[in-house]
Amino acid sequence: MYTSYIWMAALTVISFLIVLLLRNQRTIIARIGFVSWISLSLYFIFEYIVIQATTAPYHSLDQPMSDLGVTSCGTNTYPLAPYEICSPYHLLMNWTFAVTGIVIFVGAIALHQFWPDNKKTSIATVLLVIFGLSYNISGIIPADINFLWHTLGSMPGMIVQIPALVLISIAIRNEKPSLAIFTCICTVVTTCSLILLFYQPPFISLPGGLLQRILYGAVYFWMVITAVVLWRNLNFERSGR
């Protein structure tokens, strides 16, 4: 079993090195970036497959996504999980987490060329790379294998996307006003989800699993649409020459 997680880590390092080596090949790397971010639209399909295979009750509105990657069956499989978990397709889920993280940071590096060349966008790209790596770690280190490192690795990915999107929206507000507005909307959605996830209003029990999915899903949605918009604009510019 551990061999698979070693391969996940190796693939992460290899992917990172390849995208860095190709970053000056603007046409090739752009296509890689477009495909990477658009492929995020497949995430919830894989999650659905894993959910359908669970042999213990799994409540997607209430339970965290990490439960689907837990490698053992039973109760108390990791701290904060006193309920029963059994996910036979946990390896598929953890590969999905790992590959999702890879396509996020590959896309962030590859599509950086389409943002204005300034400090804001450079910081935003670094933050999106951290976002991807954080998500990647949640797959490489399942919660029941090492809860501490799983948690520490996952935490940045719940926060860094917010300043990243804010910086990008500010940087592109003159050149790409419509995309900037769309970025702001996604920023508000992911920010509200984070606040509600950690602060439950008195006398109200909000569905933590749903909030977590909205938290990440808003960023996935932004990346997919952004990749499509940038790709279409690039093709339009080329056809207009």
Side-chain angles (χ1 to χ4, degrees), residues 120-177:
K120 291 185 181 69
T121 57
S122 295
I123 294 173
T125 296
V126 171
L127 291 174
L128 291 178
V129 169
I130 293 173
F131 177 72
L133 289 173
S134 177
Y135 205 92
N136 174 269
I137 290 172
S138 68
I140 295 175
I141 308 176
D144 63 317
I145 298 299
N146 192 310
F147 180 69
L148 176 61
W149 285 108
H150 175 86
T151 304
L152 292 177
S154 301
M155 287 300 291
M158 302 181 75
I159 302 169
V160 295
Q161 80 280 8
I162 296 172
L165 296 187
V166 169
L167 289 171
I168 289 174
S169 64
I170 293 173
I172 66 174
R173 66 184 186 279
N174 293 325
E175 296 181 10
K176 301 177 177 67

Short mmCIF file of all heavy atoms in Angstrom, two decimals, residues 120-177:
data_model
loop_
_atom_site.label_atom_id
_atom_site.label_comp_id
_atom_site.label_asym_id
_atom_site.label_seq_id
_atom_site.Cartn_x
_atom_site.Cartn_y
_atom_site.Cartn_z
N LYS A 120 2.23 41.46 -7.52
CA LYS A 120 0.94 40.90 -7.07
C LYS A 120 0.70 39.52 -7.68
O LYS A 120 0.34 38.57 -6.97
CB LYS A 120 -0.22 41.83 -7.44
CG LYS A 120 -0.27 43.14 -6.69
CD LYS A 120 -1.52 43.90 -7.06
CE LYS A 120 -1.61 45.24 -6.35
NZ LYS A 120 -0.58 46.18 -6.84
N THR A 121 0.88 39.42 -8.98
CA THR A 121 0.61 38.14 -9.63
C THR A 121 1.65 37.08 -9.29
O THR A 121 1.34 35.89 -9.25
CB THR A 121 0.53 38.31 -11.16
OG1 THR A 121 1.76 38.89 -11.64
CG2 THR A 121 -0.62 39.22 -11.54
N SER A 122 2.87 37.52 -9.04
CA SER A 122 3.92 36.57 -8.63
C SER A 122 3.57 35.96 -7.29
O SER A 122 3.69 34.74 -7.09
CB SER A 122 5.28 37.26 -8.56
OG SER A 122 5.70 37.71 -9.84
N ILE A 123 3.13 36.81 -6.35
CA ILE A 123 2.73 36.31 -5.03
C ILE A 123 1.51 35.40 -5.16
O ILE A 123 1.44 34.35 -4.52
CB ILE A 123 2.42 37.48 -4.08
CG1 ILE A 123 3.69 38.29 -3.78
CG2 ILE A 123 1.80 36.98 -2.77
CD1 ILE A 123 3.46 39.55 -2.99
N ALA A 124 0.57 35.80 -6.01
CA ALA A 124 -0.65 35.00 -6.20
C ALA A 124 -0.31 33.62 -6.75
O ALA A 124 -0.87 32.61 -6.31
CB ALA A 124 -1.60 35.73 -7.15
N THR A 125 0.61 33.56 -7.69
CA THR A 125 1.01 32.26 -8.26
C THR A 125 1.66 31.39 -7.21
O THR A 125 1.37 30.18 -7.14
CB THR A 125 1.97 32.47 -9.45
OG1 THR A 125 1.28 33.17 -10.50
CG2 THR A 125 2.48 31.14 -9.98
N VAL A 126 2.52 31.96 -6.40
CA VAL A 126 3.15 31.19 -5.31
C VAL A 126 2.09 30.65 -4.36
O VAL A 126 2.14 29.48 -3.95
CB VAL A 126 4.17 32.07 -4.54
CG1 VAL A 126 4.64 31.34 -3.28
CG2 VAL A 126 5.36 32.40 -5.42
N LEU A 127 1.10 31.47 -4.04
CA LEU A 127 0.03 31.04 -3.13
C LEU A 127 -0.80 29.92 -3.76
O LEU A 127 -1.20 28.98 -3.06
CB LEU A 127 -0.86 32.22 -2.77
CG LEU A 127 -0.23 33.30 -1.89
CD1 LEU A 127 -1.19 34.49 -1.72
CD2 LEU A 127 0.15 32.74 -0.53
N LEU A 128 -1.05 29.99 -5.06
CA LEU A 128 -1.81 28.94 -5.72
C LEU A 128 -1.00 27.65 -5.81
O LEU A 128 -1.57 26.55 -5.77
CB LEU A 128 -2.25 29.38 -7.11
CG LEU A 128 -3.32 30.48 -7.15
CD1 LEU A 128 -3.63 30.88 -8.59
CD2 LEU A 128 -4.60 30.03 -6.44
N VAL A 129 0.31 27.77 -5.93
CA VAL A 129 1.17 26.58 -5.89
C VAL A 129 1.08 25.93 -4.51
O VAL A 129 0.96 24.71 -4.39
CB VAL A 129 2.63 26.95 -6.23
CG1 VAL A 129 3.57 25.77 -5.91
CG2 VAL A 129 2.76 27.34 -7.70
N ILE A 130 1.10 26.76 -3.47
CA ILE A 130 0.95 26.25 -2.10
C ILE A 130 -0.41 25.59 -1.94
O ILE A 130 -0.54 24.54 -1.30
CB ILE A 130 1.13 27.39 -1.08
CG1 ILE A 130 2.58 27.90 -1.11
CG2 ILE A 130 0.77 26.92 0.33
CD1 ILE A 130 2.81 29.14 -0.27
N PHE A 131 -1.43 26.21 -2.51
CA PHE A 131 -2.79 25.65 -2.48
C PHE A 131 -2.80 24.24 -3.07
O PHE A 131 -3.37 23.30 -2.50
CB PHE A 131 -3.73 26.57 -3.25
CG PHE A 131 -5.15 26.08 -3.35
CD1 PHE A 131 -5.99 26.10 -2.25
CD2 PHE A 131 -5.66 25.61 -4.55
CE1 PHE A 131 -7.30 25.65 -2.34
CE2 PHE A 131 -6.96 25.16 -4.66
CZ PHE A 131 -7.78 25.18 -3.54
N GLY A 132 -2.16 24.09 -4.22
CA GLY A 132 -2.10 22.78 -4.86
C GLY A 132 -1.30 21.77 -4.07
O GLY A 132 -1.72 20.62 -3.90
N LEU A 133 -0.14 22.17 -3.58
CA LEU A 133 0.69 21.26 -2.80
C LEU A 133 -0.01 20.84 -1.51
O LEU A 133 0.11 19.69 -1.08
CB LEU A 133 2.03 21.93 -2.48
CG LEU A 133 2.99 22.11 -3.67
CD1 LEU A 133 4.19 22.94 -3.24
CD2 LEU A 133 3.44 20.75 -4.19
N SER A 134 -0.73 21.75 -0.91
CA SER A 134 -1.47 21.44 0.31
C SER A 134 -2.52 20.37 0.04
O SER A 134 -2.68 19.42 0.81
CB SER A 134 -2.13 22.71 0.85
OG SER A 134 -2.90 22.43 2.00
N TYR A 135 -3.23 20.53 -1.06
CA TYR A 135 -4.24 19.54 -1.43
C TYR A 135 -3.58 18.21 -1.75
O TYR A 135 -4.09 17.14 -1.41
CB TYR A 135 -5.03 20.05 -2.64
CG TYR A 135 -6.41 19.47 -2.73
CD1 TYR A 135 -7.49 20.13 -2.16
CD2 TYR A 135 -6.65 18.27 -3.36
CE1 TYR A 135 -8.77 19.61 -2.23
CE2 TYR A 135 -7.92 17.74 -3.44
CZ TYR A 135 -8.97 18.42 -2.87
OH TYR A 135 -10.23 17.89 -2.93
N ASN A 136 -2.45 18.29 -2.40
CA ASN A 136 -1.68 17.11 -2.77
C ASN A 136 -1.26 16.30 -1.54
O ASN A 136 -1.38 15.07 -1.50
CB ASN A 136 -0.46 17.57 -3.57
CG ASN A 136 0.50 16.46 -3.90
OD1 ASN A 136 1.42 16.20 -3.15
ND2 ASN A 136 0.30 15.80 -5.03
N ILE A 137 -0.82 17.00 -0.50
CA ILE A 137 -0.36 16.34 0.72
C ILE A 137 -1.49 15.57 1.40
O ILE A 137 -1.27 14.51 1.98
CB ILE A 137 0.23 17.38 1.69
CG1 ILE A 137 1.57 17.90 1.13
CG2 ILE A 137 0.46 16.79 3.08
CD1 ILE A 137 2.15 19.06 1.90
N SER A 138 -2.71 16.08 1.30
CA SER A 138 -3.85 15.40 1.93
C SER A 138 -4.09 14.03 1.34
O SER A 138 -4.68 13.15 1.98
CB SER A 138 -5.12 16.25 1.82
OG SER A 138 -5.55 16.34 0.47
N GLY A 139 -3.63 13.82 0.10
CA GLY A 139 -3.75 12.51 -0.52
C GLY A 139 -2.56 11.62 -0.22
O GLY A 139 -2.70 10.41 -0.03
N ILE A 140 -1.38 12.21 -0.17
CA ILE A 140 -0.16 11.45 0.10
C ILE A 140 -0.11 10.97 1.54
O ILE A 140 0.41 9.88 1.83
CB ILE A 140 1.08 12.31 -0.22
CG1 ILE A 140 1.12 12.63 -1.73
CG2 ILE A 140 2.36 11.61 0.19
CD1 ILE A 140 2.23 13.57 -2.12
N ILE A 141 -0.68 11.77 2.45
CA ILE A 141 -0.70 11.40 3.87
C ILE A 141 -2.15 11.35 4.35
O ILE A 141 -2.71 12.36 4.79
CB ILE A 141 0.09 12.41 4.73
CG1 ILE A 141 1.49 12.63 4.16
CG2 ILE A 141 0.18 11.92 6.18
CD1 ILE A 141 2.29 13.69 4.89
N PRO A 142 -2.81 10.19 4.25
CA PRO A 142 -4.20 10.07 4.71
C PRO A 142 -4.33 10.37 6.20
O PRO A 142 -3.37 10.24 6.97
CB PRO A 142 -4.53 8.60 4.41
CG PRO A 142 -3.57 8.20 3.33
CD PRO A 142 -2.31 8.95 3.65
N ALA A 143 -5.54 10.77 6.61
CA ALA A 143 -5.78 11.20 7.98
C ALA A 143 -5.49 10.10 9.01
O ALA A 143 -5.02 10.39 10.11
CB ALA A 143 -7.22 11.68 8.13
N ASP A 144 -5.75 8.85 8.66
CA ASP A 144 -5.55 7.77 9.64
C ASP A 144 -4.10 7.29 9.68
O ASP A 144 -3.71 6.59 10.61
CB ASP A 144 -6.47 6.58 9.35
CG ASP A 144 -6.18 5.95 8.00
OD1 ASP A 144 -5.97 6.70 7.02
OD2 ASP A 144 -6.17 4.71 7.91
N ILE A 145 -3.29 7.67 8.69
CA ILE A 145 -1.88 7.29 8.69
C ILE A 145 -1.09 8.23 9.58
O ILE A 145 -0.28 7.80 10.42
CB ILE A 145 -1.30 7.30 7.26
CG1 ILE A 145 -2.04 6.29 6.38
CG2 ILE A 145 0.20 7.01 7.27
CD1 ILE A 145 -1.93 4.86 6.86
N ASN A 146 -1.30 9.51 9.42
CA ASN A 146 -0.65 10.51 10.29
C ASN A 146 -1.54 11.74 10.32
O ASN A 146 -1.45 12.60 9.43
CB ASN A 146 0.75 10.85 9.80
CG ASN A 146 1.54 11.63 10.84
OD1 ASN A 146 1.05 12.63 11.39
ND2 ASN A 146 2.76 11.18 11.12
N PHE A 147 -2.39 11.81 11.32
CA PHE A 147 -3.39 12.88 11.39
C PHE A 147 -2.72 14.26 11.51
O PHE A 147 -3.18 15.23 10.91
CB PHE A 147 -4.33 12.65 12.57
CG PHE A 147 -5.39 13.71 12.70
CD1 PHE A 147 -6.40 13.82 11.78
CD2 PHE A 147 -5.35 14.61 13.76
CE1 PHE A 147 -7.38 14.81 11.89
CE2 PHE A 147 -6.31 15.60 13.89
CZ PHE A 147 -7.33 15.70 12.95
N LEU A 148 -1.64 14.35 12.27
CA LEU A 148 -0.97 15.63 12.49
C LEU A 148 -0.46 16.20 11.17
O LEU A 148 -0.76 17.34 10.81
CB LEU A 148 0.18 15.48 13.47
CG LEU A 148 1.02 16.75 13.72
CD1 LEU A 148 0.16 17.87 14.28
CD2 LEU A 148 2.20 16.44 14.64
N TRP A 149 0.30 15.39 10.42
CA TRP A 149 0.87 15.89 9.17
C TRP A 149 -0.20 16.05 8.09
O TRP A 149 -0.09 16.94 7.24
CB TRP A 149 1.99 14.97 8.69
CG TRP A 149 3.23 15.15 9.50
CD1 TRP A 149 3.76 14.28 10.42
CD2 TRP A 149 4.09 16.29 9.48
NE1 TRP A 149 4.89 14.81 10.98
CE2 TRP A 149 5.13 16.04 10.43
CE3 TRP A 149 4.11 17.49 8.78
CZ2 TRP A 149 6.15 16.95 10.67
CZ3 TRP A 149 5.11 18.41 9.03
CH2 TRP A 149 6.12 18.13 9.95
N HIS A 150 -1.21 15.22 8.13
CA HIS A 150 -2.33 15.39 7.21
C HIS A 150 -2.99 16.75 7.45
O HIS A 150 -3.28 17.49 6.49
CB HIS A 150 -3.35 14.27 7.42
CG HIS A 150 -4.60 14.43 6.61
ND1 HIS A 150 -4.72 13.97 5.30
CD2 HIS A 150 -5.80 15.00 6.91
CE1 HIS A 150 -5.92 14.26 4.85
NE2 HIS A 150 -6.60 14.88 5.79
N THR A 151 -3.20 17.08 8.70
CA THR A 151 -3.86 18.33 9.06
C THR A 151 -2.98 19.54 8.77
O THR A 151 -3.43 20.53 8.17
CB THR A 151 -4.25 18.33 10.55
OG1 THR A 151 -5.08 17.19 10.82
CG2 THR A 151 -5.00 19.60 10.92
N LEU A 152 -1.71 19.46 9.18
CA LEU A 152 -0.79 20.57 8.94
C LEU A 152 -0.60 20.82 7.45
O LEU A 152 -0.50 21.96 7.01
CB LEU A 152 0.57 20.28 9.60
CG LEU A 152 0.59 20.28 11.13
CD1 LEU A 152 1.98 19.90 11.63
CD2 LEU A 152 0.19 21.64 11.68
N GLY A 153 -0.57 19.74 6.68
CA GLY A 153 -0.42 19.89 5.24
C GLY A 153 -1.65 20.45 4.57
O GLY A 153 -1.56 21.19 3.58
N SER A 154 -2.82 20.11 5.11
CA SER A 154 -4.08 20.53 4.49
C SER A 154 -4.48 21.96 4.83
O SER A 154 -5.15 22.63 4.04
CB SER A 154 -5.20 19.58 4.92
OG SER A 154 -4.92 18.25 4.54
N MET A 155 -4.09 22.43 6.01
CA MET A 155 -4.57 23.73 6.49
C MET A 155 -4.26 24.91 5.56
O MET A 155 -5.14 25.74 5.31
CB MET A 155 -4.01 24.00 7.89
CG MET A 155 -4.66 23.17 8.99
SD MET A 155 -6.44 23.45 9.12
CE MET A 155 -6.46 25.13 9.74
N PRO A 156 -3.03 25.02 5.02
CA PRO A 156 -2.77 26.18 4.14
C PRO A 156 -3.71 26.24 2.96
O PRO A 156 -4.10 27.33 2.52
CB PRO A 156 -1.32 25.94 3.69
CG PRO A 156 -0.72 25.10 4.76
CD PRO A 156 -1.82 24.20 5.23
N GLY A 157 -4.10 25.07 2.44
CA GLY A 157 -4.98 25.02 1.28
C GLY A 157 -6.39 25.49 1.55
O GLY A 157 -7.18 25.64 0.61
N MET A 158 -6.72 25.75 2.80
CA MET A 158 -8.03 26.28 3.13
C MET A 158 -8.03 27.80 3.18
O MET A 158 -9.08 28.43 3.25
CB MET A 158 -8.50 25.71 4.48
CG MET A 158 -8.55 24.20 4.52
SD MET A 158 -9.12 23.54 6.11
CE MET A 158 -10.88 23.89 6.00
N ILE A 159 -6.83 28.38 3.15
CA ILE A 159 -6.71 29.82 3.39
C ILE A 159 -6.05 30.58 2.24
O ILE A 159 -6.52 31.64 1.83
CB ILE A 159 -5.92 30.08 4.69
CG1 ILE A 159 -6.62 29.41 5.87
CG2 ILE A 159 -5.74 31.57 4.93
CD1 ILE A 159 -5.79 29.38 7.15
N VAL A 160 -4.95 30.02 1.69
CA VAL A 160 -4.10 30.80 0.76
C VAL A 160 -4.80 31.17 -0.54
O VAL A 160 -4.38 32.12 -1.22
CB VAL A 160 -2.79 30.03 0.45
CG1 VAL A 160 -1.94 29.88 1.69
CG2 VAL A 160 -3.09 28.67 -0.17
N GLN A 161 -5.85 30.43 -0.91
CA GLN A 161 -6.53 30.76 -2.17
C GLN A 161 -7.21 32.12 -2.09
O GLN A 161 -7.40 32.79 -3.11
CB GLN A 161 -7.54 29.66 -2.54
CG GLN A 161 -8.87 29.72 -1.82
CD GLN A 161 -8.82 29.15 -0.41
OE1 GLN A 161 -7.75 28.85 0.10
NE2 GLN A 161 -9.98 29.00 0.21
N ILE A 162 -7.57 32.54 -0.88
CA ILE A 162 -8.29 33.81 -0.73
C ILE A 162 -7.42 35.01 -1.11
O ILE A 162 -7.78 35.79 -2.00
CB ILE A 162 -8.86 33.95 0.69
CG1 ILE A 162 -9.89 32.85 0.94
CG2 ILE A 162 -9.48 35.34 0.89
CD1 ILE A 162 -10.39 32.77 2.36
N PRO A 163 -6.23 35.19 -0.49
CA PRO A 163 -5.39 36.31 -0.93
C PRO A 163 -4.91 36.16 -2.38
O PRO A 163 -4.72 37.17 -3.06
CB PRO A 163 -4.20 36.28 0.05
CG PRO A 163 -4.20 34.90 0.63
CD PRO A 163 -5.64 34.49 0.67
N ALA A 164 -4.75 34.92 -2.84
CA ALA A 164 -4.32 34.71 -4.23
C ALA A 164 -5.35 35.28 -5.20
O ALA A 164 -5.00 36.01 -6.14
CB ALA A 164 -4.10 33.22 -4.50
N LEU A 165 -6.62 34.96 -4.98
CA LEU A 165 -7.66 35.45 -5.88
C LEU A 165 -7.85 36.96 -5.74
O LEU A 165 -8.14 37.64 -6.74
CB LEU A 165 -8.98 34.72 -5.59
CG LEU A 165 -9.01 33.21 -5.85
CD1 LEU A 165 -10.43 32.67 -5.69
CD2 LEU A 165 -8.48 32.88 -7.22
N VAL A 166 -7.70 37.46 -4.53
CA VAL A 166 -7.80 38.91 -4.34
C VAL A 166 -6.72 39.64 -5.15
O VAL A 166 -7.00 40.63 -5.86
CB VAL A 166 -7.68 39.27 -2.85
CG1 VAL A 166 -7.53 40.78 -2.67
CG2 VAL A 166 -8.90 38.78 -2.08
N LEU A 167 -5.49 39.15 -5.05
CA LEU A 167 -4.38 39.78 -5.76
C LEU A 167 -4.57 39.70 -7.28
O LEU A 167 -4.28 40.67 -8.00
CB LEU A 167 -3.06 39.11 -5.36
CG LEU A 167 -2.58 39.39 -3.94
CD1 LEU A 167 -1.39 38.50 -3.59
CD2 LEU A 167 -2.20 40.86 -3.78
N ILE A 168 -5.05 38.57 -7.77
CA ILE A 168 -5.27 38.43 -9.21
C ILE A 168 -6.38 39.37 -9.68
O ILE A 168 -6.27 40.02 -10.73
CB ILE A 168 -5.60 36.97 -9.56
CG1 ILE A 168 -4.36 36.10 -9.42
CG2 ILE A 168 -6.14 36.87 -11.00
CD1 ILE A 168 -4.59 34.63 -9.61
N SER A 169 -7.46 39.45 -8.92
CA SER A 169 -8.57 40.33 -9.32
C SER A 169 -8.13 41.78 -9.38
O SER A 169 -8.55 42.53 -10.27
CB SER A 169 -9.75 40.17 -8.35
OG SER A 169 -9.40 40.58 -7.04
N ILE A 170 -7.27 42.18 -8.45
CA ILE A 170 -6.75 43.56 -8.46
C ILE A 170 -5.84 43.78 -9.66
O ILE A 170 -5.91 44.81 -10.34
CB ILE A 170 -5.99 43.86 -7.15
CG1 ILE A 170 -6.95 43.87 -5.97
CG2 ILE A 170 -5.26 45.20 -7.25
CD1 ILE A 170 -6.27 43.98 -4.62
N ALA A 171 -5.00 42.77 -9.94
CA ALA A 171 -4.01 42.91 -11.02
C ALA A 171 -4.63 42.97 -12.40
O ALA A 171 -4.10 43.62 -13.30
CB ALA A 171 -3.01 41.76 -10.94
N ILE A 172 -5.79 42.31 -12.59
CA ILE A 172 -6.38 42.22 -13.93
C ILE A 172 -7.61 43.11 -14.11
O ILE A 172 -8.28 43.05 -15.15
CB ILE A 172 -6.75 40.77 -14.28
CG1 ILE A 172 -7.88 40.26 -13.36
CG2 ILE A 172 -5.52 39.86 -14.18
CD1 ILE A 172 -8.39 38.86 -13.74
N ARG A 173 -7.92 43.93 -13.11
CA ARG A 173 -9.19 44.66 -13.14
C ARG A 173 -9.28 45.61 -14.33
O ARG A 173 -10.39 45.91 -14.80
CB ARG A 173 -9.40 45.44 -11.83
CG ARG A 173 -8.43 46.56 -11.57
CD ARG A 173 -8.68 47.18 -10.19
NE ARG A 173 -7.86 48.34 -9.94
CZ ARG A 173 -6.58 48.30 -9.54
NH1 ARG A 173 -6.00 47.12 -9.36
NH2 ARG A 173 -5.90 49.40 -9.33
N ASN A 174 -8.15 46.11 -14.85
CA ASN A 174 -8.20 47.02 -16.00
C ASN A 174 -8.17 46.26 -17.32
O ASN A 174 -8.90 46.61 -18.25
CB ASN A 174 -7.02 47.99 -15.93
CG ASN A 174 -7.13 48.95 -14.75
OD1 ASN A 174 -8.23 49.35 -14.37
ND2 ASN A 174 -6.00 49.29 -14.16
N GLU A 175 -7.33 45.23 -17.41
CA GLU A 175 -7.17 44.49 -18.66
C GLU A 175 -8.30 43.47 -18.89
O GLU A 175 -8.72 43.25 -20.02
CB GLU A 175 -5.83 43.76 -18.68
CG GLU A 175 -4.62 44.69 -18.67
CD GLU A 175 -3.32 43.91 -18.71
OE1 GLU A 175 -3.34 42.69 -18.95
OE2 GLU A 175 -2.26 44.54 -18.50
N LYS A 176 -8.75 42.86 -17.80
CA LYS A 176 -9.78 41.82 -17.91
C LYS A 176 -10.86 42.07 -16.84
O LYS A 176 -10.98 41.31 -15.89
CB LYS A 176 -9.16 40.43 -17.72
CG LYS A 176 -8.07 40.08 -18.72
CD LYS A 176 -7.47 38.71 -18.41
CE LYS A 176 -6.43 38.29 -19.45
NZ LYS A 176 -5.23 39.14 -19.41
N PRO A 177 -11.64 43.12 -17.00
CA PRO A 177 -12.62 43.49 -15.96
C PRO A 177 -13.67 42.42 -15.67
O PRO A 177 -14.03 42.21 -14.52
CB PRO A 177 -13.26 44.77 -16.52
CG PRO A 177 -12.99 44.74 -17.99
CD PRO A 177 -11.68 44.05 -18.14
#
